[in-house]
Structure formats: structure tokens, C-alpha cells
Amino acid sequence: MTGCILAMNGDEAAAYAVKQCKPDVIAAYPITPQTIIVERLSEYVADGELDAEFIAVESEHSAMSACIGAAAAGARTYTATASQGLALMYEMLFVASSFRLPIVMSIANRALNSPLNIWNDMSDTMGARDCGWIQIYNENAQEVYDLTIQAFKIAEDHGVLLPVMVCHDGFVISHSTEGIETLRDEDVDSFLPERDPVYPLDVDHPVTMGCVGVPEYYPEIKFQQEVATQKSITKIKEIFKEFNEAFGRNYDILEPYQMDDAEIALLAIGSASGTAKVAVDLLRKKGVNIGLVKMRLFRPLPVKELQELLGSLKAVGVVDRHISFGAIGGALNMEVRAALYELRSKPHVMGFPTGLGGRDIRVEHFIKMAETLLKVAEQDSLEEDYKVAGCRGKGCIEP
């Protein structure tokens, strides 16, 4: 049920998956390190390999605006961006989700200014976590390919109808070439049926979108959106399972590694998960009962699944690739703490923001994180809520 193995970087894998999903409209603006995606898609359209309307807009704000109009009219719609581009379209992100439009957007995660930095961290998408979009994170280019295809089916499912961000680390994944096990076009067609819009804009059957939400109605509208977002976890799991069974993959919203007898664990997201696995293996050889949980789905937050995997541990180290300034490390750390708070025997949760602005996250960093967690488990106390790793400064884990 698979096609051939192609050498592609993460951006090219995203573009190839999008081509096979046959969007009707692509509206995008180039920005490093996402540019390769829209370059490839524009080539596919120009060469006649993809029958789509490619709109070269003047900004990312315009890109999302065009996607909103196209998706509202019933088109399968796609865009891609990163960093400052995502920040520029921030206003329209809320419109897309509140309209319940199944737009798919690739994000090549990149640090936000200032100082100017084109390298990877997750300050862009973590800053957009409350915009009402589903957020999926990838460890490698193969996952970018597979999860982009699944993202269209998730977004367009009538039990979901929400936009989806498919996130991969800038340069680390976007510009690194791998052998990608692709699917045949006909098999993607079979997995992903044509879009069946529920309430498309139609001059013969007019509807109103985006009217004034007066206080008498606004809370109920937002509550319905929240209920739909929470319920989408069930559909996401079903679609992952369907993809796994059809194509021999093994996707789930959380991926446990060496967790069967773990007493402490790291929780990571994105490409750093692969490095963390190496550290876990090394520590296991030294007799440390440590595991790893890789998070693929961040929005909606899989609270019950986190409780099941982490609830019996002594300590958990949450690896964020950004800092939520003035809070407790990063957003992921805060949300894992909140998810585990109600458990009677809740583990100590400590945050480790790292990899800021593209700085390398090395195996020794994860080993030092684990050593810190072991002390926390032995002392049964948490002296610090978080410790920045791979950073020079008092109280940091030095690079």
C-alpha cells in the first residue's frame, strides 16, 4: 500500500503530501524556513501536476484571509508560514477557527524577533495555542508527510470542522533530507475523500458568517466551539488508527518510549524527541528507570492520556522549546502541571525550556535533566519550577 521512497527534506515532504491531497486553493507568502513548501507547490501548479488556484498574496495576513474566503466557499484550502508570518496573521487565526473552517497550515517553527533570529524554537505556535486551532507536532520528515495527509481528513471530518496546524522544527526538519516512504496517489485518494462542506457560501442558498456576536449569544457560541475542540480528540484517534491500519504506520496522540517500568520521565515535543530517546537508552544502561513521552497532539490537550501515562511517576521533566515569560518556564510545562494536578499521587513536574533560537539540544542536556529529576524524586520535593537548559547563566544547565 505504499509508493516509492523519495529523498526529501521536511518542507518538501509537506509539499508532496499537500499535492497528493489535491487542495483547490493555496494562498501563501514565503518566509524562512517555510519558503521551500510554497516554492514546490507553485512549481507543481505551474507544471500541471496539481490542479489548484495558487494565490501569491502580499502578506501572511492576506494569505489567511484568502484561505478563509476559499474554505468558506467550500474549497479544500491550504497555507504555510512561520514565525513573524504566523504573528502577522494572528488576527485571522481566530476567524478561521470560529467559522469552523477546515484549513490546513504547515508551520516550520522559528523563533520570534527580537533579536532577529531565523532558527528554530516554538515561540510562534505556542504563542498561538489559544487561537482555536488543532496543533500537531512532528519529530521528523516522515511524520510531516504522514500527518499532513491525516490533517486534511481531521479538519474536514464533520465531527471536527476545525483548522489544523501541522508543525515541524525549522531547519532541523525543514531543511534536513530523509528517505520518505510515500503513498500511492490512488491510496491517498481512497483515504481522503473529496471535501463535503456543511454550510458553504452559496448565492442560491445564502448564509451569514461573522455577524455581530452580541453578549446575549457570544458565550454560547464560544462554548460550542470549545466542546467541539475537546470532542475532536476522539476523531483524531480514530483517523490515526485508520491510517495505521491502511498503511502500516504507528501513530497516536502520545508516544510512550521505555515507559513500562519508568519511575521518572521526560516529556518532549518535536525533533528533540529523537535526541531524548538516545539519552533515555544511555541512562537505561546505567540502571536508571527513565522513560520518555513524545507529544504529537498539543491542542486539544490530551489530559486523560497524560494522566494515564504520567500519573504514577515520581517526577516528570517537561521539555519546552520556548519560554512563556513571567510564568513557569514554557506553556507545555504549565499545562502538564495543570493536567496532573488533580491526581492524588501526582508526580513532581519540572520544566526545562531549551533549544531557544536554534541552539543545539544535545544528549548531555537530557542526561543533566534526568539527573535533576532523580534528585527531585529522592528528595520528594521541588525546589525549582523550571531550569533553562543549554544556556549560560546562574541556575541554568550550561551548554
Side-chain angles (χ1 to χ4, degrees):
M1 294 294 289
T2 59
C4 57
I5 295 177
L6 301 177
M8 293 185 285
N9 61 39
D11 279 359
E12 291 170 327
Y16 193 82
V18 172
K19 182 188 77 165
Q20 290 185 301
C21 292
K22 300 178 180 176
D24 302 297
V25 175
I26 301 166
Y29 190 85
I31 181 172
T32 302
Q34 167 274 127
T35 302
I36 296 171
I37 300 177
V38 294
E39 284 179 341
R40 293 295 178 272
L41 287 170
S42 67
E43 290 169 2
Y44 291 145
V45 173
D47 294 343
E49 296 183 45
L50 174 61
D51 182 14
E53 186 70 30
F54 190 100
I55 307 173
V57 293
E58 69 274 14
S59 74
E60 289 85 0
H61 188 283
S62 299
M64 184 51 60
S65 299
C67 285
I68 288 169
R76 176 169 290 165
T77 309
Y78 173 83
T79 188
T81 191
S83 185
Q84 311 300 130
L86 183 64
L88 184 57
M89 66 169 63
Y90 188 77
E91 173 190 7
M92 305 312 295
L93 297 179
F94 289 90
V95 178
S97 61
S98 62
F99 280 13
R100 306 291 297 279
L101 298 176
I103 300 166
V104 173
M105 176 164 58
S106 295
I107 310 288
N109 286 112
R110 167 187 152 184
L112 287 163
N113 295 352
S114 180
L116 175 63
N117 183 292
I118 64 169
W119 293 274
N120 166 244
D121 67 29
M122 296 179 179
S123 53
D124 48 7
T125 51
M126 287 294 171
R129 64 187 179 275
D130 294 329
C131 292
W133 286 59
I134 293 170
Q135 288 191 353
I136 298 171
Y137 288 82
N138 301 280
E139 180 186 340
N140 51 50
Q142 182 69 59
E143 291 191 5
V144 172
Y145 173 80
D146 289 335
L147 289 166
T148 297
I149 295 170
Q150 294 176 74
F152 279 98
K153 185 154 188 171
I154 291 166
E156 295 174 4
D157 190 286
H158 287 188
V160 179
L161 291 177
L162 289 167
V164 180
M165 294 183 192
V166 186
C167 311
H168 61 274
D169 289 350
F171 292 107
V172 182
I173 297 176
S174 67
H175 286 62
S176 297
T177 300
E178 302 176 28
I180 308 301
E181 187 177 317
T182 63
L183 305 177
R184 297 179 301 185
D185 290 348
E186 56 267 33
D187 293 327
V188 176
D189 292 341
S190 177
F191 176 78
L192 180 66
E194 292 185 5
R195 187 188 166 191
D196 178 22
V198 180
Y199 298 112
L201 291 175
D202 185 344
V203 293
D204 295 324
H205 303 89
V207 295
T208 298
M209 292 186 180
C211 55
V212 176
V214 295
E216 288 79 6
Y217 297 101
Y218 187 88
E220 287 76 18
I221 294 170
K222 293 290 103 177
F223 176 70
Q224 290 177 1
Q225 186 179 344
E226 164 63 1
V227 170
T229 305
Q230 293 291 351
K231 285 185 176 180
S232 70
I233 291 181
T234 300
K235 279 293 182 180
I236 293 168
K237 285 183 171 181
E238 290 176 1
I239 291 169
F240 278 8
K241 182 179 180 181
E242 180 184 349
F243 191 87
N244 293 341
E245 292 176 351
F247 306 117
R249 307 290 208 251
N250 186 28
Y251 288 105
D252 204 345
I253 57 177
L254 298 176
E255 180 185 297
Y257 182 76
Q258 301 272 31
M259 286 295 295
D260 290 343
D261 61 344
E263 297 180 353
I264 63 172
L266 296 167
L267 187 145
I269 191 167
S271 63
S273 306
T275 310
K277 290 175 184 176
V278 176
V280 167
D281 290 341
L282 290 173
L283 289 164
R284 280 277 175 175
K285 291 179 180 178
K286 295 180 180 180
V288 180
N289 288 341
I290 184 172
L292 170 73
V293 174
K294 181 174 78 174
M295 176 174 278
R296 283 198 182 93
L297 182 68
F298 178 61
R299 277 290 182 273
L301 189 73
V303 175
K304 292 182 180 179
E305 291 79 3
L306 286 169
Q307 291 175 345
E308 291 172 1
L309 279 173
L310 304 174
S312 62
L313 302 179
K314 295 179 179 179
V316 177
V318 181
V319 184
D320 271 290
R321 205 153 190 168
H322 85 118
I323 293 179
S324 183
F325 299 108
I328 308 174
L332 189 55
N333 179 49
M334 291 186 288
E335 301 214 7
V336 170
R337 290 163 70 97
L340 302 181
Y341 181 78
E342 67 181 53
L343 301 178
R344 292 183 179 180
S345 57
K346 53 182 175 288
H348 296 289
V349 180
M350 185 170 181
F352 294 99
T354 188
L356 305 181
R359 182 166 289 183
D360 285 342
I361 308 174
R362 302 197 299 270
V363 172
E364 51 264 38
H365 293 146
F366 288 110
I367 291 175
K368 290 180 180 179
M369 293 177 200
E371 291 171 351
T372 303
L373 290 178
L374 286 171
K375 292 178 182 178
V376 169
E378 291 172 1
Q379 297 170 0
D380 196 29
S381 64
L382 191 66
E383 295 181 0
E384 299 174 289
D385 293 318
Y386 71 97
K387 186 186 287 286
V388 180
C391 178
R392 294 181 291 272
K394 185 178 181 180
C396 298
I397 295 177
E398 294 285 339

